[in-house]
């Protein structure tokens, strides 16, 4: 179903399409949301599929693609991270991976990047397999710090045989596959063998690995489970729903992930799950078993559709007992608690927004944007834009801007550039227009922001400045506005002031995080990369010929000219960069 602008507002499926579509236009009992949707329908497009399963998958794909306003939409659609082992290499590496899975071996999915990094850190302590990038690995001439702290066996410089390294890789794979007991038995045998051969250092290393493995397995192992499964629990009230997916892989619980689907109306947990499960598993790994907390009307249909995607039998189980029942009850308790927290947070945000609307005298207040600038002594300047609406932060709408072409340290120019770049896209319709624009700064920044909006002929956004109070004390901020009401005095602790502080702090956090990332990237950039005419091949040639940056910096122009591809002009340019003549 599409509106007059051709935008998809609803996607649905049915065995009998005539009856399904006719039901929307009947004059019987309908919800306000349904009446609002019908009033916007300008045209209906129809696709015919061979089976119900195909229709279910097509519906889920179209919902994920168009995100219609009146469908249940899975909002957090970021792909899940995996642990990756490059088994095709002579000396494989273990690494974090998110995205398409092609060559190599993958383990997961994990609920978060933090869970992957924690597992990688643990693997480093157990088995000294390299985790460095291939480019770093291939250019080493001596062991790095990881080898010195016994986190890597240094295959880059040949300090470990390929056979011994392959054994460590195999142990890592066994651990990730959940074969902990088998791995411990193998290590015990290796320890005894090393001890009998008086290789006491090796025996001590095996002993430490066994001890660490036992502690890990005590914390992670689920006694009655051996296979892969997901447990999905859902809770719904009013217009808010919460879905929690718990991951079990090879008998180990890898954690859980919580979702808050966007609902068009107040719906039951069963209805939410029927829409959530197909959307979720379109792009995520499907385990052999999926345990759910509610009985669905089309369980068999969804199971058949998932089996078709996975190309093997997939079971959806809604009746459990024993250990599985206890895990399902725990998941349901967690999801109920998460929903209550979400409702409390939403209620708090709504109250704060209402209070801020009254304080600022706005006709409406549905969307707030806030800008902040971060830099170090004027270098690597980054501007942030964060967005809040009646439900809290809208993180998918956050944006950062790398500022360039300004006087270093000029926050006014940086603010003007960021606002101009952002609101040119607002005018083009790429982003929604906010009702209030918060600026982290005083009257100067406020005036610059207003001037940037006037240049774009935008005059219907209320601009508010937030300057830090005496000694930068939280709660003592000053609120500045243009016009007759030049400033507002808000009592500390009022809902409006708490909301302004929350948004301002979020903008500051987002800006400084981006600045640190940009600064870290710049610190890793070679001086040679900044020289015009010196590309990757010439950099590599220079480093090979001279052995390092220190030797290049001390070389004369004639010596630099002897490198293939370096003429006199380029050699002079390189020399000038290192000797401060440019």
């Amino acid at each position: 179903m599409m509106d007059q602008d051709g935008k998809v507002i609803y996607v649905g499926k049915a065995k009998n399409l005539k009856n399904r579509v006719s039901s929307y236009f009947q004059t019987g009992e309908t919800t306000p949301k349904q009446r609002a949707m019908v009033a916007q329908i300008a045209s209906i497009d129809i696709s015919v599929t061979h089976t119900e399963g195909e229709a279910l998958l097509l519906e889920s794909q179209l919902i994920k693609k168009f995100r219609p306003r009146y469908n249940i939409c899975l909002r957090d659609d970021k792909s899940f991270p995996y642990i990756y082992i490059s088994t095709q290499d002579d000396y494989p590496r273990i690494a974090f991976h998110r995205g398409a899975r092609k060559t190599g071996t993958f383990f997961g999915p994990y609920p978060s990047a933090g869970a992957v990094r924690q597992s990688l850190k643990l693997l480093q302590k157990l088995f000294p397999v390299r985790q460095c990038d291939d480019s770093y690995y291939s250019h080493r001439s001596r062991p790095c710090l990881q080898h010195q702290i016994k986190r890597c066996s240094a295959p880059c410089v040949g300090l470990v045989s390929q056979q011994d390294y392959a054994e460590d890789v195999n142990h890592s794979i066994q651990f990730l596959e959940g074969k902990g007991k088998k791995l411990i038995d193998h290590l015990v045998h290796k320890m005894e063998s090393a001890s009998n051969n008086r290789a006491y250092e090796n025996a001590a290393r095996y002993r430490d690995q066994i001890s660490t493995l036992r502690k890990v397995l005590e914390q992670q192992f689920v006694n009655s489970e051996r296979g892969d499964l997901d447990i999905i629990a859902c809770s719904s009230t009013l217009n808010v729903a919460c879905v929690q997916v718990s991951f079990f892989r090879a008998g180990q619980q890898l954690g859980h992930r919580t979702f808050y689907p966007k609902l068009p109306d107040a719906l039951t947990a069963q209805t939410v799950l029927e829409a959530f499960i197909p959307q979720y598993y379109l792009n995520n790994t499907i385990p052999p078993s999926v345990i759910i907390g509610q009985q669905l009307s089309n369980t068999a249909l969804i199971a058949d559709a998932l089996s078709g995607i996975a190309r093997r039998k997939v079971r959806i189980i809604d009746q459990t007992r024993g250990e599985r029942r206890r895990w399902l009850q725990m998941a349901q308790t967690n999801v109920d608690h998460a929903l209550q927290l979400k409702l409390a947070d939403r209620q708090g945000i709504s109250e704060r927004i209402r209070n801020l609307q009254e304080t600022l005298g706005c006709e409406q207040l549905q969307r707030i944007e806030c800008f902040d600038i971060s830099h170090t002594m004027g270098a690597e300047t980054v501007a942030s834009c964060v967005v809040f609406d009646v439900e809290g932060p809208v993180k998918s709408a956050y944006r950062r801007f790398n500022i360039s072409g300004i006087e270093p340290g000029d926050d006014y120019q940086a603010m003007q550039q960021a606002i101009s770049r952002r609101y040119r896209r607002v005018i083009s319709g790429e982003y929604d227009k906010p009702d209030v624009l918060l600026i982290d700064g005083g009257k100067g920044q406020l005036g610059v922001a207003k001037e940037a909006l006037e240049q774009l002929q935008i005059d219907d956004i209320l601009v508010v400045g937030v300057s830090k109070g005496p000694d930068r004390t939280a709660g003592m901020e000053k609120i500045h506005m243009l016009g007759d009401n030049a400033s507002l005095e808000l009592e500390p602790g009022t809902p409006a002031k708490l909301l302004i502080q929350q948004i301002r702090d979020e903008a500051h956090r987002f800006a400084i995080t981006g600045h640190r990332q940009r600064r870290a990237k710049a610190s890793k950039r070679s001086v040679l990369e900044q020289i015009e005419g010196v590309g990757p091949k010439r950099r590599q040639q220079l480093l090979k010929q001279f052995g390092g940056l220190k030797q290049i910096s001390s070389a004369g122009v004639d010596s630099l000219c002897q490198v293939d591809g370096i003429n006199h002009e380029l050699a002079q340019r390189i020399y000038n960069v290192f000797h401060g003549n440019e």
Side-chain angles (χ1 to χ4, degrees), residues 360 362 369 419 423 435-439 442 445-451 453-454 458-466 479-483 485-486:
L360 299 178
C362 303
E369 294 189 357
I419 290 176
Y423 287 96
D435 302 302
V436 171
L437 171 59
L438 290 180
I439 301 297
Q445 284 90 343
L446 187 64
V448 167
K450 191 68 177 177
E451 182 183 344
L453 292 178
E454 288 174 352
I458 298 176
D459 57 4
D460 54 350
I461 298 177
L462 179 61
V463 186
V464 179
V466 186
I479 311 302
H480 304 279
M481 299 174 64
L482 296 175
N485 298 323

Side-chain angles (χ1 to χ4, degrees), residues 503-522:
I503 298 174
R504 191 274 316 275
D505 291 345
E506 178 69 354
H508 181 67
R509 179 201 65 81
F510 195 56
I512 200 168
T513 301
H515 166 64
R516 285 171 177 167
Q517 291 173 352
R518 192 179 179 192
R519 189 175 61 191
K521 185 177 180 181

Side-chain angles (χ1 to χ4, degrees), residues 192-229:
E192 292 175 348
S193 177
S195 179
N196 292 334
N197 293 329
R198 298 184 180 182
Y200 299 118
E201 289 186 1
N202 290 338
R205 184 167 67 88
Y206 291 131
R207 178 203 61 200
D208 294 341
Q209 289 178 338
I210 292 167
S211 176
T212 306
L213 266 174
R214 289 193 187 278
K215 290 178 182 178
V216 172
L217 294 178
E218 285 174 4
Q219 296 171 0
Q220 292 187 343
F221 201 69
V222 183
N223 293 327
S224 63
E225 294 296 344
R226 291 296 182 272
D228 295 351
L229 62 88

Side-chain angles (χ1 to χ4, degrees), residues 400-421:
R400 290 194 186 101
F401 303 91
N402 289 333
I403 304 300
S404 60
I406 66 170
E407 193 72 25
D410 192 334
D411 288 356
Y412 291 166
Q413 289 185 14
M415 183 68 71
Q416 187 172 31
Q417 183 180 133
I419 290 176
S420 298
R421 288 165 61 182

Side-chain angles (χ1 to χ4, degrees), residues 467-473 476-478:
S467 63
K468 299 173 180 63
D471 301 323
R472 307 173 73 92
T473 304
M476 301 301 292
E477 295 86 354
K478 293 183 179 180

Side-chain angles (χ1 to χ4, degrees), residues 131-337:
Q131 296 187 10
C132 57
D133 293 335
D134 289 339
S135 58
Y136 183 83
Y137 167 78
S138 59
H139 290 90
R140 295 299 301 176
S141 59
R142 58 188 178 87
C144 65
L145 180 63
Q146 294 298 320
H147 174 71
Q148 296 177 31
I149 61 175
K150 299 181 180 179
R151 296 289 187 268
C152 179
S153 53
C156 52
V157 291
L159 295 186
V160 61
S161 68
Q162 190 168 348
Q163 181 180 355
D164 291 342
Y165 188 85
E167 184 179 47
D168 284 331
V169 172
N170 186 48
H171 289 165
S172 300
I173 292 174
Q174 284 184 307
F175 173 75
L176 292 170
E177 287 177 343
K179 300 176 181 178
K181 188 176 183 305
K182 180 180 178 182
L183 178 56
I184 287 177
D185 292 341
H186 177 71
L187 291 175
V188 168
H189 175 73
K190 296 283 287 185
M191 180 181 67
E192 292 175 348
S193 177
S195 179
N196 292 334
N197 293 329
R198 298 184 180 182
Y200 299 118
E201 289 186 1
N202 290 338
R205 184 167 67 88
Y206 291 131
R207 178 203 61 200
D208 294 341
Q209 289 178 338
I210 292 167
S211 176
T212 306
L213 266 174
R214 289 193 187 278
K215 290 178 182 178
V216 172
L217 294 178
E218 285 174 4
Q219 296 171 0
Q220 292 187 343
F221 201 69
V222 183
N223 293 327
S224 63
E225 294 296 344
R226 291 296 182 272
D228 295 351
L229 62 88
D230 287 349
I231 295 178
I232 304 179
C234 178
S235 185
S236 175
T237 183
L238 302 176
N239 283 17
V240 185
C242 178
V243 181
Q244 189 175 94
V245 184
S246 300
F247 309 93
F248 293 81
R249 296 293 182 269
Q252 296 184 26
Q253 185 183 13
L254 300 183
H256 65 265
R257 191 164 181 180
T258 305
F259 301 86
Y260 298 95
K262 180 182 177 183
L263 303 187
D265 207 343
L267 301 173
T268 63
Q270 289 88 344
T271 305
V272 173
L273 278 182
E274 287 175 355
F276 173 86
I277 292 174
Q279 289 187 56
Y280 172 76
Y281 284 115
L282 274 177
N283 296 325
N284 291 307
T285 301
I286 306 175
S289 300
V290 178
I291 299 175
I292 58 177
Q294 284 83 18
Q295 277 190 317
L296 308 183
S297 60
N298 57 351
T299 301
L301 174 61
I302 295 175
D304 288 343
L306 297 185
S307 299
I309 297 174
R311 297 182 180 179
R312 53 175 164 72
K313 181 70 174 177
V314 175
R315 295 190 304 154
I316 297 181
I317 304 167
D318 53 34
Q319 298 293 329
T320 58
R321 58 185 178 181
E323 189 75 19
R324 288 186 171 188
R325 184 172 182 80
R326 286 192 288 273
W327 282 106
L328 180 59
Q329 289 174 344
M330 182 183 294
Q332 191 64 50
T333 301
N334 287 333
V335 82
D336 290 339
H337 179 65

